[in-house]
Amino acid sequence: MILLKEVILQMFFALTPFVLFNIYYRDRMRNYSRAFILVTSSICMFLAMTFATSVSEGVIFDIRHIIVFFALVYGGVRIALVLLIESALYRYYLGGEGIWLALLALVVTFSISLLMYRRYKASYRKTLYIFLTGALFSLVALGLTYLYFPTYVSHHPAYYLFVIPVQNFVGIWLLLSLFSKCVSDKELFIRHAQNEKIETMSHVAASLAHEVRNPLTAVKGFLRLIQENPENITKTDQYIRISMDEIQRTEAILTEYLALSKPLKERTELINVCDQLYVVREVMLPFANMHNVELELQAYEKPVTILANPDEFKQVLVNFIKNAIEACEETVNGKVSLSLFIEKSNAMLIIKDNGIGMDEGQIKRLGSIYFSTKTSGTGLGLTYSYHVIHAFGGSVSVSSKPKVGTKFTITFPYHAQP
């Protein structure tokens, strides 16, 4: 029974990188890094070797070979070498009569890992190579132990012929299969979220092209008037001033649009939500006009600052406002209102529309991947937005009624300006 507990504990340690990945990268728009593999593998290896299984004094068995192989697959040769040196030093520190056997086993299994990981990466039958690697690790452990300590094997045949293979087979299968599934799901989510952003930007760009054409037409008309009557200095100055204002407004909108379309960067800073709302409103106003929807903003009188990534926050605003506008496109006198206020040390942003609304079932599924109230939508825009809001310590609440409208209340921790 004690031995069974130790084996189960080793299986738990094997899941350490998988568990930490789901905790650390849950709300991040990027996948694992080599530094993450090194840190989590080191933690996993330290725990596994500290609480290793053993039936003979000084001869211990754990999942260190599996961790090195995992680091080789996801971190590369350099990371695996670091872990190999780490495990060798720690095993030397633990001591016991099986120390030289353990060091020899590390060299042999690392050579096997180098041979197998290239085939594992290139093959579509990854499960086969996972179990084959586990089998080779078990054979190395059994063969070397029998070579140096044959009496240990003969006195405990069940342990060496059953427990160690199960520990290797189940450990390597759990770690690599679950971690691989998480990594592929994260890549899929990031790819679809980026595609959703591109689609959103293309819709906004279509409305911007229409909106930019209006001031350009006005500027063209004023230039023609100046050309026809260049002697009238007063009128010419007036026409030039109006034309400059139109050009500057167009330039500001296009600048903010280009800033929104840039790749996101990992950073957080104090941002003024009021300023962000005014900027995004200017960008989204042409989109609202194209759908015959009024876009109203009631900002707070004083600066409302939160700690967030400005690029990600703008993208969140674009996603929510775009959805609200599209919900109102079939509504007579469609209206989307944005209001901002401070309540109990929180910045509260309310996005309200009088569009088609949602029922209770739709509200509960909001933010889920691939759920959308639009026939052609994927739902990833809101999924991404929910992830960003939660990553900044915020929350989202929704109230809606079919054919009445929807109200999103987004709450962020308020950070006063220093």
Side-chain angles (χ1 to χ4, degrees), residues 37 80-81 93 103 108 114 190 232 266 312 317 369 378 411 418:
I37 297 298
L81 281 172
Y93 168 79
L103 295 177
V108 175
L114 286 173
I190 293 172
N232 193 334
E266 286 283 334
E312 290 183 343
L317 292 178
I369 297 180
T378 63
T411 305

Side-chain angles (χ1 to χ4, degrees), residues 98-118:
I99 181 173
W100 299 111
L101 171 64
L103 295 177
L104 177 60
L106 275 173
V107 174
V108 175
T109 54
F110 186 73
S111 302
I112 293 172
S113 298
L114 286 173
L115 181 68
M116 296 301 294
Y117 109 94
R118 291 187 175 89

Side-chain angles (χ1 to χ4, degrees), residues 353-357 400-406:
D353 66 70
N354 60 348
I356 56 175
S400 182
K401 290 183 179 180
K403 299 182 180 180
V404 175
T406 304

Side-chain angles (χ1 to χ4, degrees), residues 9 48 71 86 97-98 122 130 157 159 167 185 208 213 224 232-233 253 257 259 285 303 320 356 382 388:
L9 191 62
E86 176 191 330
E97 62 177 335
I130 286 174
Y159 176 76
Q167 186 171 281
D185 286 348
L208 279 175
R213 192 179 290 114
R224 184 171 288 131
N232 193 334
I233 304 300
I253 293 174
Y257 170 78
L285 196 57
F320 275 103
I356 56 175
L382 272 187
V388 171

Side-chain angles (χ1 to χ4, degrees), residues 8-19:
I8 293 174
L9 191 62
Q10 289 291 312
M11 297 303 100
F12 173 76
F13 293 147
L15 294 175
T16 301
F18 164 74
V19 174

Side-chain angles (χ1 to χ4, degrees), residues 4-290:
L4 179 61
K5 289 181 179 179
E6 291 178 346
V7 172
I8 293 174
L9 191 62
Q10 289 291 312
M11 297 303 100
F12 173 76
F13 293 147
L15 294 175
T16 301
F18 164 74
V19 174
L20 293 178
F21 177 86
N22 282 281
I23 293 173
Y24 184 74
Y25 286 101
R26 182 174 66 91
D27 293 320
R28 296 176 182 268
M29 283 296 294
R30 57 191 177 92
N31 221 324
Y32 72 92
S33 64
R34 291 188 176 183
F36 173 83
I37 297 298
L38 177 61
V39 172
T40 55
S41 298
S42 298
I43 294 171
C44 179
M45 182 173 291
F46 174 78
L47 293 172
M49 294 179 69
T50 303
F51 303 98
T53 62
S54 176
V55 290
S56 306
E57 188 67 29
V59 181
I60 62 176
F61 293 93
D62 49 60
I63 57 168
R64 78 192 81 152
H65 311 296
I66 295 171
I67 299 302
V68 173
F69 181 72
F70 165 77
L72 192 61
V73 172
Y74 290 100
V77 177
R78 290 184 179 179
I79 301 297
L81 281 172
V82 172
L83 288 169
L84 179 68
I85 295 170
E86 176 191 330
S87 62
L89 292 175
Y90 190 47
R91 183 62 187 90
Y92 185 80
Y93 168 79
L94 293 174
E97 62 177 335
I99 181 173
W100 299 111
L101 171 64
L103 295 177
L104 177 60
L106 275 173
V107 174
V108 175
T109 54
F110 186 73
S111 302
I112 293 172
S113 298
L114 286 173
L115 181 68
M116 296 301 294
Y117 109 94
R118 291 187 175 89
R119 288 166 171 75
Y120 172 84
K121 297 283 283 186
S123 175
Y124 290 101
R125 304 172 66 182
K126 296 188 182 299
T127 305
L128 173 63
Y129 283 96
I130 286 174
F131 285 114
L132 183 58
T133 305
L136 291 173
F137 288 168
S138 300
L139 287 173
V140 169
L142 177 61
L144 291 178
T145 307
Y146 186 78
L147 182 63
Y148 285 90
F149 306 105
T151 55
Y152 292 167
V153 178
S154 60
H155 290 165
H156 307 282
Y159 176 76
Y160 287 97
L161 295 175
F162 178 73
V163 174
I164 292 177
V166 167
Q167 186 171 281
N168 284 323
F169 277 110
V170 178
I172 196 170
W173 174 72
L174 277 176
L175 178 55
L176 268 75
S177 60
L178 291 179
F179 194 83
S180 175
K181 182 67 167 61
C182 279
V183 168
S184 60
D185 286 348
K186 175 63 75 172
E187 287 178 352
L188 186 64
F189 172 74
I190 293 172
R191 192 181 307 118
H192 280 292
Q194 290 171 342
N195 292 340
E196 183 83 4
K197 179 181 177 180
I198 292 171
E199 183 180 352
T200 299
M201 290 297 99
S202 65
H203 290 169
V204 176
S207 60
L208 279 175
H210 176 74
E211 190 73 9
V212 166
R213 192 179 290 114
N214 293 333
L216 289 179
T217 303
V219 170
K220 182 179 178 180
F222 285 126
L223 289 175
R224 184 171 288 131
L225 289 173
I226 293 171
Q227 188 180 33
E228 292 175 353
N229 192 10
E231 293 82 10
N232 193 334
I233 304 300
T234 304
K235 288 289 184 180
T236 299
D237 290 341
Q238 181 183 357
Y239 295 156
I240 291 174
R241 187 169 60 254
I242 295 173
S243 299
M244 289 297 295
D245 290 341
E246 290 293 317
I247 291 173
Q248 287 177 357
R249 177 177 173 275
T250 303
E251 185 182 20
I253 293 174
L254 291 176
T255 300
E256 291 303 329
Y257 170 78
L258 292 173
L260 282 171
S261 62
K262 287 179 181 178
L264 300 178
K265 296 179 180 178
E266 286 283 334
R267 77 178 194 276
T268 56
E269 59 187 63
L270 275 178
I271 59 173
N272 188 344
V273 180
C274 298
D275 293 342
Q276 302 289 326
L277 282 172
Y278 280 116
V279 166
V280 174
R281 179 184 178 275
E282 287 300 312
V283 174
M284 296 304 295
L285 196 57
F287 187 75
N289 294 336
M290 191 172 71

